Amino acid sequence: MILKNVNYKKVKNFDIKKNGIQVIENNLIIEIYNDPFRSIPLFITKDISDELVIFSNFEDFYTMQNIDKTVDEVGFWEIILFGSGLWTRTLYKDVEQMPAASKISIDKKTNKYTIERYWDFNIEEEKSIDSIEKAAQGLYDRLDSIFSKLDRNKKYVMGMSGGMDSRITLAFLSKYIPKENLELFTYGFDERLLEYKYACEITETLSYNKSKFHKLTEESYKDAMEYLPKMSGGQIGVNHCHIIDYIKSNNTKNKVQISTYFSDAIFGWDSDSDKNIDVIENNFYKRIVEKMLNT
């Protein structure tokens, strides 16, 4: 097994509270775990001698020798339709990706491996929550517990849109992180954007420094065409370059980025009350594929 520039820690027991790649090894197997947020991407392939190659930066893949680089047509169309390959599929037939909250188990004797989730993302309904007040209080208590554990001495950077997710995040941060330790920015094409207006109002209300405006230009996207597709194996389009463009343009070294991407899904585009997929016809991905086939 070859690890190409993979940042990982060897551990005796997997700790779900730690971000990054953790490796457990014994005489029979090697287990590679990532965290629930997939903080570090990981990919696995084999060379012509059946040697496993594991890498994190997709740019390493292009320079590898003796590895089949045939494009996976299904993977290509999954990326076009959904923005990423589904489950372990990538743009290449012989490369698999490691989904969030999963582990790779490698048999040291046969060199065969499996990829499986260690965490069930399904959430059991809490029957005791019988009012919106109880639900809101439960969410508040959970978020407060999480934010209270942040290191108030570290430096942080966060995108601020003024929307519900960033508003709630900043409200909790204001309880625990001093304003001098948090850098806020709002990206867009013009400072007159309502998002920036709201972001400035929120930061002023919570006594934080004014959110910096980061102007997205034609060059932002042209530059992204040079690095985003290569570093992601074609799975991140230039339309997702906004935060990276800010980080590349500003000195954010030694600062921890706080992302509201997941909460953006919870409060925004994935807030669909109908979650019934007992019948295959109700599956979201199946509906999209059928729609595309019928157009």
Side-chain angles (χ1 to χ4, degrees):
M1 184 181 73
I2 301 171
L3 292 170
K4 293 275 294 181
N5 301 322
V6 177
N7 183 17
Y8 69 95
K9 290 183 179 180
K10 269 199 169 186
V11 297
K12 290 184 178 180
N13 298 292
F14 171 63
D15 185 353
I16 196 172
K17 296 180 180 179
K18 301 290 185 181
N19 285 343
I21 303 297
Q22 300 178 51
V23 177
I24 300 174
E25 183 176 3
N26 59 38
N27 293 332
L28 300 176
I29 63 171
I30 298 173
E31 292 183 327
I32 303 173
Y33 290 80
N34 65 3
D35 57 73
F37 295 100
R38 198 187 179 208
S39 300
I40 298 177
L42 210 65
F43 306 92
I44 185 167
T45 187
K46 286 186 178 181
D47 62 19
I48 59 174
S49 63
D50 213 34
E51 180 84 45
L52 286 177
V53 182
I54 298 173
F55 57 98
S56 182
N57 188 337
F58 224 103
E59 291 185 71
D60 291 334
F61 174 71
Y62 309 123
T63 61
M64 293 178 189
Q65 303 297 316
N66 302 319
I67 290 179
D68 188 353
K69 296 182 174 66
T70 303
V71 170
D72 184 338
E73 291 186 20
V74 175
F76 170 81
W77 285 110
E78 285 183 357
I79 292 169
I80 295 297
L81 288 172
F82 309 122
S84 178
L86 303 182
W87 187 230
T88 63
R89 196 188 297 274
T90 68
L91 184 59
Y92 298 91
K93 283 187 176 180
D94 288 343
V95 180
E96 289 189 277
Q97 64 182 337
M98 193 178 186
S102 65
K103 70 173 180 178
I104 302 176
S105 299
I106 302 171
D107 187 313
K108 296 173 74 172
K109 186 176 182 180
T110 65
N111 219 29
K112 292 182 179 179
Y113 70 89
T114 58
I115 300 177
E116 59 184 331
R117 289 205 191 279
Y118 59 76
W119 191 5
D120 185 357
F121 279 91
N122 292 311
I123 300 173
E124 185 177 350
E125 182 181 355
E126 177 53 71
K127 301 290 186 181
S128 65
I129 300 176
D130 54 9
S131 68
I132 190 65
E133 290 76 18
K134 282 186 180 179
Q137 187 61 51
L139 177 60
Y140 179 92
D141 293 341
R142 180 64 180 143
L143 290 175
D144 193 56
S145 174
I146 293 170
F147 280 93
S148 67
K149 293 180 175 65
L150 290 175
D151 186 344
R152 61 181 291 112
N153 295 314
K154 283 187 176 180
K155 302 287 186 179
Y156 299 89
V157 59
M158 185 182 83
M160 184 72 195
S161 70
M164 183 183 291
D165 52 327
S166 62
R167 207 160 55 226
I168 291 175
T169 301
L170 190 62
F172 278 101
L173 287 172
S174 68
K175 293 183 64 177
Y176 301 105
I177 303 301
K179 69 176 184 179
E180 61 271 15
N181 287 356
L182 179 60
E183 178 181 332
L184 299 165
F185 67 93
T186 305
Y187 56 75
F189 309 104
D190 193 302
E191 288 194 40
R192 293 170 294 180
L193 285 172
L194 277 177
E195 280 195 349
Y196 188 49
K197 175 178 180 291
Y198 294 148
C200 292
E201 289 178 356
I202 299 301
T203 52
E204 182 180 2
T205 300
L206 294 172
S207 300
Y208 272 96
N209 294 324
K210 183 179 178 181
S211 183
K212 298 179 182 178
F213 184 78
H214 178 66
K215 186 175 178 62
L216 295 169
T217 66
E218 182 180 347
E219 294 304 313
S220 301
Y221 297 97
K222 285 183 177 179
D223 290 344
M225 291 181 70
E226 295 296 322
Y227 63 83
L228 263 182
K230 291 179 182 177
M231 69 185 288
S232 68
Q235 295 200 88
I236 301 179
V238 297
N239 55 310
H240 293 294
C241 74
H242 311 135
I243 291 177
I244 298 178
D245 191 63
Y246 175 82
I247 290 173
K248 283 171 62 68
S249 306
N250 294 269
N251 182 19
T252 58
K253 188 177 180 181
N254 299 323
K255 292 181 181 178
V256 178
Q257 187 213 344
I258 297 174
S259 172
T260 58
Y261 187 80
F262 186 63
S263 57
D264 184 43
I266 294 174
F267 294 124
W269 51 266
D270 203 34
S271 295
D272 185 354
S273 59
D274 182 12
K275 296 296 181 183
N276 181 14
I277 55 171
D278 295 335
V279 181
I280 189 63
E281 281 69 23
N282 293 331
N283 184 275
F284 171 74
Y285 295 113
K286 184 176 185 296
R287 291 202 304 265
I288 288 184
V289 171
E290 288 179 342
K291 181 180 178 181
M292 297 300 296
L293 290 175
N294 293 328
T295 57

